[in-house]
């Protein structure tokens, strides 16, 4: 017998762990994603690569710029995992294993900070100009590969505009969708990107009352409905006109906005700005209120400052309490005319901008 100690047989637990490690490392070692231009050397030397918490989503963006400027901006801070150029070439900004800071203030189905849970793909181009077929071909291949690696179904491949949201501000008093437009509400084609489920039909955060809807998305869905595709708008945000109620009482100052949508009992839909006869809004009409865009274009009619002798009435006349008239107080606060409660408290030095909607 030799005096050497007997080697212990590996325990089953150790074997199991080894097997698990091999399986876990498979996605990284597979010859995934061929033909990609590795651009990671352009990341700053101090850039710290960190792993994501998990990978549940893929978010599609567009750069709103050309290729050169996008490469520079994205690689300076690792703001995407991949970039797809107009000619279909794919650049790896940051390996899919690491967290890219691409989603900003974002939420889907109650999950926030989506950069911690998603890969980010940027398309070179603009939210209101079509992407090229070469881009769609490359994106389709890239998505197939990443979805396979991380087992992400089509419904969790989402456009940035769907998941971004804005904080309350003086125009929209609650957290709301509509902070981002990329890669384009009416521009990006899920079908060309190979996503068989064409359209997430309900925004889960709007449906749950966590966020107000983005009127542009609601309108786009209404458009699709006209083209025969099914759509459901979350009922929580639909108000109904009751007996003896006017549109004004239900929708307030938003009654005639293009973002307010009226569905009449017969099923006909009109936007607020399409309705001519306000005395004919029947009981039972459903009203969907969309948030107003923060930067609504107003034509400036008059600008003046309140003094001891110059009152808001003298400056704005009949428009003194209009939503188109803005009061900026000496302390920097701004209110619309229809938000001012106490007219005796407009201090001298308040700037008044009288506006009219530009048509
Ligand atoms: Zn984006």
């Amino acid at each position: 017998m030799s005096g050497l100690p007997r080697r212990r047989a590996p325990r089953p637990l150790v074997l199991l762990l080894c097997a698990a490690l091999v399986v876990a490392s498979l996605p990284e070692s597979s010859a995934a994603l061929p033909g990609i231009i590795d651009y990671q050397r352009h990341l700053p030397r101090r850039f710290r690569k960190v792993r994501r918490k998990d990978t549940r989503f893929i978010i599609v963006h567009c750069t709103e710029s050309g290729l050169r400027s996008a490469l520079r901006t994205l690689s300076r801070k690792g703001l995407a995992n991949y970039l797809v150029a107009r000619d279909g070439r794919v650049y790896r900004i940051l390996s899919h294993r690491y967290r890219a800071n691409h989603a900003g203030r974002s939420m889907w189905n109650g999950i926030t900070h989506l950069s911690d849970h998603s890969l980010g793909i940027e398309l070179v181009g603009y939210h209101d100009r079509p992407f090229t077929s070469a881009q769609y071909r490359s994106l389709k291949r890239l998505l197939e590969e990443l979805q396979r690696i991380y087992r992400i179904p089509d419904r969790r491949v989402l456009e940035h505009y769907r998941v971004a949201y804005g904080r309350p501000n003086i125009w929209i008093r609650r957290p709301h969708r509509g902070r981002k437009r990329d890669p384009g509400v009416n521009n990006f084609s899920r079908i060309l990107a190979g996503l068989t489920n064409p359209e997430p039909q309900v925004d889960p955060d709007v449906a749950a009352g966590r966020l107000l809807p983005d009127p542009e998305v609601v309108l786009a869905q209404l458009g699709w409905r006209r083209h025969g595709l099914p759509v459901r708008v979350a009922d929580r945000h639909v108000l109904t006109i009751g007996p003896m109620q006017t549109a004004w009482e239900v929708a307030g100052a938003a009654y005639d906005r293009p973002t307010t949508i009226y569905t009449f009992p017969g099923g006909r839909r009109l936007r607020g700005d399409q309705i001519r006869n306000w005395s004919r809004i029947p009981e039972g009409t459903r009203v969907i209120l969309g948030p107003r865009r923060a930067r609504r274009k107003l034509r400036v009619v008059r600008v003046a400052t309140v003094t001891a002798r110059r009152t808001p009435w003298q400056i704005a006349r009949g428009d003194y309490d209009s939503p188109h008239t803005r009061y900026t107080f000496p302390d920097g606060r701004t209110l619309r005319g229809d938000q001012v409660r106490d007219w005796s408290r407009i201090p001298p030095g308040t700037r008044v901008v009288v506006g009219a909607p530009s048509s």
Side-chain angles (χ1 to χ4, degrees), residues 60-62 102 122 160 180 182:
V60 179
H61 304 256
C62 73
H102 61 94
E122 289 272 0
H160 196 194
K180 285 284 176 178
D182 67 306

Side-chain angles (χ1 to χ4, degrees), residues 43-60:
L43 288 166
R45 225 176 287 157
R46 63 181 183 286
F47 183 83
R48 235 166 47 84
K49 291 177 177 173
V50 290
R51 301 253 177 185
R52 278 180 301 280
K53 288 186 182 157
D54 51 36
T55 310
R56 292 190 239 181
F57 305 95
I58 299 174
I59 310 295
V60 179

Side-chain angles (χ1 to χ4, degrees), residues 15-313:
L15 278 177
L16 206 70
L17 268 173
C18 290
L21 275 173
V22 167
V23 169
S25 62
L26 269 182
E28 327 291 34
S29 56
S30 63
L33 314 170
I36 290 183
I37 302 161
D38 199 341
Y39 208 73
Q40 290 186 93
R41 66 180 187 284
H42 295 271
L43 288 166
R45 225 176 287 157
R46 63 181 183 286
F47 183 83
R48 235 166 47 84
K49 291 177 177 173
V50 290
R51 301 253 177 185
R52 278 180 301 280
K53 288 186 182 157
D54 51 36
T55 310
R56 292 190 239 181
F57 305 95
I58 299 174
I59 310 295
V60 179
H61 304 256
C62 73
T63 58
E64 312 285 4
S65 73
L67 176 63
R68 269 156 169 258
S69 127
L71 280 171
R72 204 177 326 116
T73 314
L74 297 176
S75 54
R76 200 153 45 198
K77 289 181 182 169
L79 297 180
N81 295 101
Y82 297 95
L83 173 71
V84 184
R86 309 283 298 173
D87 63 3
R89 264 186 261 201
V90 179
Y91 293 81
R92 182 183 297 109
I93 305 293
L94 177 62
S95 161
H96 61 85
R97 296 171 220 179
Y98 301 111
R99 177 190 184 279
N101 192 11
H102 61 94
R105 190 176 308 111
S106 49
M107 185 195 297
W108 191 254
N109 212 1
I111 301 167
T112 54
H113 304 289
L114 292 185
S115 292
D116 292 340
H117 309 281
S118 66
L119 293 155
I121 302 177
E122 289 272 0
L123 300 171
V124 174
Y126 301 85
H127 74 272
D128 53 0
R129 289 179 226 168
F131 301 107
T132 67
S133 32
Q135 275 181 305
Y136 278 117
R137 272 196 304 274
S138 297
L139 176 65
K140 186 167 178 282
R141 274 190 25 226
L142 186 58
L143 284 175
E144 278 166 3
E145 193 58 37
L146 294 170
Q147 286 182 258
R148 187 186 64 75
I149 294 175
Y150 292 101
R151 295 185 186 168
I152 297 173
D154 286 359
R155 69 191 147 80
R156 281 195 262 124
V157 178
L158 295 164
E159 298 88 335
H160 196 194
Y161 73 80
R162 272 187 216 285
V163 300
Y165 73 96
R167 282 209 200 99
N169 57 44
I170 69 163
W171 293 283
I172 309 168
R173 297 307 180 98
R174 289 187 37 208
H176 54 273
R177 292 280 187 225
R179 185 175 70 81
K180 285 284 176 178
R181 292 269 82 105
D182 67 306
V185 175
N186 292 303
N187 187 39
F188 177 71
S189 164
R190 295 180 65 85
I191 291 161
L192 291 180
L195 301 167
T196 50
N197 162 16
E199 174 68 13
Q201 298 192 351
V202 170
D203 181 325
D205 302 299
V206 169
R210 288 184 282 262
L211 298 175
L212 287 175
D214 176 0
E216 207 169 309
V217 174
V218 174
L219 286 175
Q221 287 180 327
L222 294 178
W224 282 318
R225 185 192 170 96
R226 273 198 298 280
H227 293 106
L229 289 166
V231 67
R232 260 174 48 219
V233 177
D235 275 353
R236 286 272 185 104
H237 298 281
V238 179
L239 308 163
T240 304
I241 295 194
M244 309 296 287
Q245 254 186 333
T246 63
W248 173 269
E249 283 167 317
V250 171
Y255 79 105
D256 62 349
R257 280 182 200 155
T259 53
T260 302
I261 295 148
Y262 291 82
T263 307
F264 295 93
R268 208 160 79 97
R269 278 173 201 251
L270 283 178
R271 299 192 315 256
D273 63 338
Q274 293 174 319
I275 295 177
R276 295 282 160 269
N277 189 344
W278 290 102
S279 64
R280 288 219 192 135
I281 309 292
E283 183 187 331
T285 297
R286 302 197 315 153
V287 187
I288 301 170
L289 285 181
R292 185 153 68 153
R293 295 290 300 282
R295 280 189 202 152
R296 196 162 177 238
K297 278 210 173 129
L298 284 183
R299 186 165 51 83
V300 174
V301 177
R302 202 172 312 121
V303 182
T305 303
V306 174
T307 64
R309 290 193 185 162
R310 224 207 228 142
T311 63
W313 168 262

